[in-house]
Amino acid sequence: MADLTEIVRDLIDEGNSLDELVAPLGVLGWQEPTPAPGWSIAHQIAHLRWTDQAAIAAMTDNERWQAILDSRHSSPHLVDEQADSGAALHPDELLATWRQSRNEVAEALLAVPAGTKLPWFGPPMNPLSMATARLMETWAHGQDIADGLDIERVPTDRIRHVAYIAYRARDFAFAANNLQPPAEPFYMELLSPSNQIWVFGEDSASQRVTGSAIDFCLLATQRRHRDDCDVHATGPDADTWLNIAQAFAGPPGSGRGRNG
């Protein structure tokens, strides 16, 4: 797995790539709907800004983080409320403050001492996992924006981090769906955008997942239905996992319907 400096560099690149997609949009363009019900492009960026700000608090300000956590517990719709609030800003202000939060996240991640456990909405994470989670979310919400604009993004090998966090979150996905996590490790083999073979786990495992890396990442971030993904399971536990995989913290999402 990559080191923290590499992941933060990829996180910056992923944010810059999404920035290039939204920066040219006019005011009306920011209001274009995305596949997430009720969320415009502005909502997607506002959500990334808010979760960046939460990550900064988790890394640098215990009191501020606890206030965010308390708000999350007291308001079951806090995520949507924060997205609505941010989306109401003028796009220039929203874009500028999102850029600021991205820079602050990168700086804070590199300043966290190695081995530190950072609080989050799901299980606590070390800085490397936090950086990976921020990249995953930036990429996933960027996909929503690309879908809303009917643009096909060129995938990059930065999605290896998304595949990795989804693989590592296997047991969390089972538990989130009130299922007992399998005792046996899984083997996963994916074809990357650059036509490399990415391997996760031990080849001796009988429960196996193979296929396209981009499709697995779309599936695990619940941006595509399983039937629309070139991802295959061998073994009943692996098959179940592909129905419930999630690379994100929190309760299971509703996923996406089949294309066509």
Side-chain angles (χ1 to χ4, degrees):
M1 186 56 193
D3 63 20
L4 180 60
T5 301
E6 180 181 343
I7 297 176
V8 170
R9 183 175 66 245
D10 284 348
L11 170 61
I12 292 170
D13 289 346
E14 193 65 35
N16 289 340
S17 177
L18 179 54
D19 196 312
E20 292 174 0
L21 200 61
V22 300
L25 297 176
V27 172
L28 293 179
W30 282 80
Q31 303 310 313
E32 286 291 324
T34 69
W39 278 31
S40 65
I41 290 171
H43 282 81
Q44 299 284 351
I45 296 298
H47 175 71
L48 289 175
R49 184 188 73 148
W50 178 70
T51 48
D52 279 345
Q53 292 169 347
I56 294 163
M59 289 185 278
T60 65
D61 190 333
N62 289 337
E63 185 174 341
R64 185 173 159 218
W65 165 251
Q66 189 58 52
I68 292 172
L69 200 60
D70 290 345
S71 296
R72 180 70 180 269
H73 289 155
S74 62
S75 176
H77 304 296
L78 181 65
V79 172
D80 287 322
E81 291 166 2
Q82 290 295 328
D84 285 341
S85 176
L89 299 173
H90 189 280
D92 290 346
E93 181 179 357
L94 177 56
L95 182 59
T97 51
W98 175 52
R99 287 171 173 168
Q100 179 181 355
S101 70
R102 281 157 45 202
N103 290 334
E104 290 179 2
V105 163
E107 292 172 0
L109 282 165
L110 294 174
V112 175
T116 302
K117 284 293 187 180
L118 300 167
W120 196 238
F121 300 111
M125 296 186 285
N126 60 34
L128 191 148
S129 295
M130 177 70 82
T132 306
R134 297 310 311 133
L135 190 151
M136 177 274 297
E137 190 156 36
T138 302
W139 179 82
H141 288 280
Q143 185 64 48
D144 289 336
I145 290 171
D147 288 342
L149 294 171
D150 198 23
I151 291 173
E152 186 171 346
R153 296 192 295 177
V154 177
T156 74
D157 281 1
R158 291 192 296 268
I159 64 168
R160 180 180 177 89
H161 306 302
V162 181
Y164 177 76
I165 200 171
Y167 177 80
R168 294 275 295 174
R170 184 203 70 170
D171 287 1
F172 179 82
F174 274 84
N177 286 273
N178 298 312
L179 297 172
Q180 180 66 33
E184 180 186 357
F186 287 5
Y187 173 78
M188 186 164 72
E189 183 177 298
L190 303 174
L191 181 64
S192 79
S194 63
N195 288 318
Q196 299 179 54
I197 299 297
W198 292 342
V199 170
F200 304 83
E202 297 296 327
D203 187 48
S204 59
S206 62
Q207 303 291 321
R208 307 167 74 86
V209 169
T210 58
S212 158
I214 182 68
D215 282 3
F216 174 75
C217 292
L218 289 167
L219 178 63
T221 55
Q222 298 187 2
R223 264 59 188 181
R224 294 290 185 273
H225 192 277
R226 181 179 175 181
D227 290 352
D228 297 319
C229 294
D230 180 19
V231 184
H232 312 281
T234 300
D237 290 337
D239 186 68
T240 297
W241 182 44
L242 291 187
N243 289 328
I244 62 172
Q246 64 178 76
F248 49 88
S254 57
R256 297 282 162 80
R258 295 177 180 87
N259 287 336

